[in-house]
Amino acid sequence: NAGVTQTPKFQVLKTGQSMTLQCAQDMNHEYMSWYRQDPGMGLRLIHYSVGAGITDQGEVPNGYNVSRSTTEDFPLRLLSAAPSQTSVYFCASSRAGGNGGYTFGSGTRLTVV
Amino acid sequence: KQEVTQIPAALSVPEGENLVLNCSFTDSAIYNLQWFRQDPGKGLTSLLLIQSSQREQTSGRLNASLDKSSGRSTLYIAASQPGDSATYLCAVGEAAGNKLTFGGGTRVLVKP
């Protein structure tokens, strides 16, 4: 039972490069979200999805794109990396309605130089 | 906009003492509230989920209460152990639970 799987675990990017953070869940959860965690700022919502084909912006969406073509996958794309995007990124999933609570992945630690 | 606050930011107690962690939120129209544990450099582990219609949840040595009217939740950890040392995060679920607003966390150290 894998839960929520994030890849890669670590990544170093140069300013201006693009990349995709992968997130997959095997629990058939409808809801998926991306958060970033920064020292002193806590976790903040980047983008979320309530089902395949449906996405919406969270609190800090600028510089990031998402898509949800399947129930299982919810990749996060950095279009042109900036040092301000250095952070730890967490993907999470839950059943519709949130009755089952959220399950989080182990995170991707991204450094932009 | 929902704001979630956790006080204190850090807490140090001797082993065996009970832990009391506080979480407050500004908008009482919540769907649920979840407590997480985070170890250094690791992801979040769900501890307890309280639905908005519930007053408390218990799991082993952990008990979490919810008072929506006052915008507060408290996590109690009985008979603390060094293995309880971690950061504890409170998160409020809104809009049918598909968005979480997090507090800044309380970093706990339990000394042997």
Side-chain angles (χ1 to χ4, degrees), chain A residues 24-45:
Chain A
Q25 53 95 3
D26 62 358
M27 298 170 284
N28 204 32
H29 285 171
E30 293 87 352
Y31 292 165
M32 296 187 75
S33 313
W34 277 101
Y35 292 82
R36 60 178 288 173
Q37 185 175 33
D38 303 293
M41 300 293 291
L43 280 94
R44 293 178 291 168
L45 181 64

Side-chain angles (χ1 to χ4, degrees), chain A residues 35 37 48 50 97-99 102, chain B residues 31-32 34 38 49 96-98 100:
Chain A
Y35 292 82
Q37 185 175 33
Y48 65 99
V50 299
N99 290 330
Y102 267 88
Chain B
Y31 197 77
N32 56 36
Q34 196 163 1
Q38 186 176 31
L49 170 71
N98 65 330
L100 294 176

Side-chain angles (χ1 to χ4, degrees), chain A residues 88-104:
Chain A
V88 182
Y89 292 84
F90 289 101
C91 178
S93 73
S94 80
R95 292 199 301 266
N99 290 330
Y102 267 88
T103 300
F104 277 75

Side-chain angles (χ1 to χ4, degrees), chain B residues 25-62:
Chain B
F25 47 94
T26 55
D27 187 348
S28 62
I30 69 171
Y31 197 77
N32 56 36
L33 187 144
Q34 196 163 1
W35 283 93
F36 294 91
R37 169 185 171 138
Q38 186 176 31
D39 293 290
K42 303 293 185 182
L44 281 68
T45 300
S46 178
L47 297 175
L48 290 169
L49 170 71
I50 312 175
Q51 299 296 337
S52 63
S53 59
Q54 298 175 319
R55 299 280 298 188
E56 67 176 351
Q57 277 288 341
T58 299
S59 176
R61 293 185 295 113
L62 277 60

